[in-house]
Amino acid sequence: MKLIGYFRSSAAFRVRIGLNLKGIVVDQAFCHLRKGEQGRPEYVALNPQKLVPALVLDSGQVLTQSLAILEYLEEIHPEPALLPKDPVERARVRSLALIPTADIHPIQNLRVMAYLRDKFGQSEEAAFAWSRHWIETGFDAYEATVANDRGTGAFSHGDAPSLADLCLIPQVFNATRFKVDMSRYPTIKRIFDNCMKLPAFDAAHPSKQPDAEP
């Protein structure tokens, strides 16, 4: 298999963690989002959404959308599990995963920021303020959920990393870039620290990717 990503992409970061946790080795290729390579015809032919990541299977089939890719990896390589066996617990993990992936990331990613600047004349400072607002709104909800739920352990759910953590950790990196005050979120910070002690998370860090830039 081949993973096409970009070092700073939160969505690609999620998939890298999942592959590392499951011990699945893939080839890597890179699509530089800030240079607009996602709009090149050859990439659009693979992924009409013009987003990363894209996972090209041995069969030639292309999978897109990070959550769909992670669910696929879970099905073909179920151990270690990213989702609990209990249906209620599975729903809790999926619910947590959707806070960063559905409520935060889509409205503060690169193309939304560019639209704010280019189409509405917003300054870089205003665009950053927009992103901080939506990150903090989502983190307020995530923190309240994990801080007050007995399902939380060393990680977002229990004492092993789950799909929720794979989605949360990249968003914490984004939050740092947008100068979010993480002291407001002690439980998220604790989970983040626990995750980053694991080699699978550490190796997926944006700065450790072959296409990383300062």
Side-chain angles (χ1 to χ4, degrees), residues 19-80:
L19 289 166
N20 292 344
L21 280 171
K22 291 181 177 293
I24 300 173
V25 178
V26 298
D27 294 329
Q28 288 200 63
F30 309 103
C31 180
H32 200 300
L33 300 184
R34 289 193 174 274
K35 293 180 180 178
E37 291 179 356
Q38 68 273 29
R40 291 180 176 177
E42 59 269 27
Y43 188 72
V44 176
L46 286 176
N47 185 358
Q49 295 173 301
K50 305 178 187 178
L51 299 171
V52 296
L55 184 68
V56 184
L57 306 185
D58 292 339
S59 64
Q61 178 73 32
V62 180
L63 302 182
T64 62
Q65 292 289 346
S66 60
L67 284 183
I69 293 171
L70 288 169
E71 293 265 7
Y72 169 76
L73 297 177
E74 181 78 345
E75 290 171 2
I76 66 165
H77 200 298
E79 297 297 334

Side-chain angles (χ1 to χ4, degrees), residues 10-11 13-15 17 66-67 70 93-102 104-105 108 135 138-144 146-147 152 154-157 161-176 182 185-196 201:
S10 296
F13 193 173
R14 297 168 202 147
V15 174
I17 298 169
S66 60
L67 284 183
L70 288 169
V93 168
R94 286 188 168 114
S95 177
L96 287 170
L98 286 168
I99 295 175
T101 60
I104 301 175
H105 182 228
Q108 56 87 200
I135 295 170
F139 276 10
D140 287 344
Y142 202 106
E143 176 71 22
V146 293
T152 306
F155 300 93
S156 294
H157 186 85
S162 70
L163 183 67
D165 303 302
L166 272 62
C167 297
L168 173 65
I169 294 327
Q171 192 59 62
V172 174
F173 276 97
N174 263 353
T176 302
M182 290 305 299
Y185 309 109
T187 313
I188 291 177
K189 182 63 168 58
R190 176 178 61 78
I191 292 167
F192 174 83
D193 290 342
N194 288 337
C195 286
M196 293 310 299
F201 284 81

